[in-house]
């Protein structure tokens, strides 16, 4: 399965005035069905629970449940370019 690395800010949430990005439910449903998803975000810091706690305030319940269950910890260095 093709891997997809997910960021939070500007992808799942809006970059300004933080809220769920438009269409996030459909996006999360599609990517978790068609890709092996991994975190690539500074919110993770090696522990997906940190990212999930942050997202819990913003994502709809359906999307949050999918990312909790299907998005995996990345094994990449804690660096974003």
């Amino acid at each position: 399965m093709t891997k997809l690395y997910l960021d939070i800010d500007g992808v799942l949430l809006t970059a300004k005035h933080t809220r769920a990005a438009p269409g996030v439910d459909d996006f999360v449903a599609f990517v978790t069905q068609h890709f092996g998803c991994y975190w690539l975000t500074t919110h993770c810091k090696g522990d997906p629970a940190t990212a999930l706690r942050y997202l819990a305030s913003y994502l709809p319940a359906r999307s949050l449940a999918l990312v909790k269950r299907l998005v995996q910890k990345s094994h990449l260095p804690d660096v974003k370019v």
Side-chain angles (χ1 to χ4, degrees):
M1 181 172 280
T2 302
K3 293 180 182 179
L4 178 71
Y5 292 88
L6 289 173
D7 194 1
I8 291 177
D9 299 314
V11 177
L12 300 178
L13 304 178
T14 56
K16 293 184 180 182
H17 311 294
T18 307
R19 60 181 171 263
V24 74
D25 270 338
D26 291 335
F27 175 76
V28 168
F30 179 84
V31 300
T32 55
Q33 182 178 2
H34 292 93
F35 299 93
C37 296
Y38 296 84
W39 290 117
L40 184 62
T41 176
T42 57
H43 292 284
C44 201
K45 303 287 187 198
D47 182 3
T50 306
L52 294 169
R53 277 193 301 274
Y54 178 67
L55 287 169
S57 298
Y58 303 105
L59 283 187
R62 177 177 175 241
S63 292
L64 187 61
L66 284 173
V67 296
K68 278 183 179 179
R69 189 167 48 95
L70 297 172
V71 179
Q72 304 169 52
K73 176 184 172 187
S74 174
H75 297 287
L76 296 174
D78 193 20
V79 176
K80 258 176 66 171
V81 287

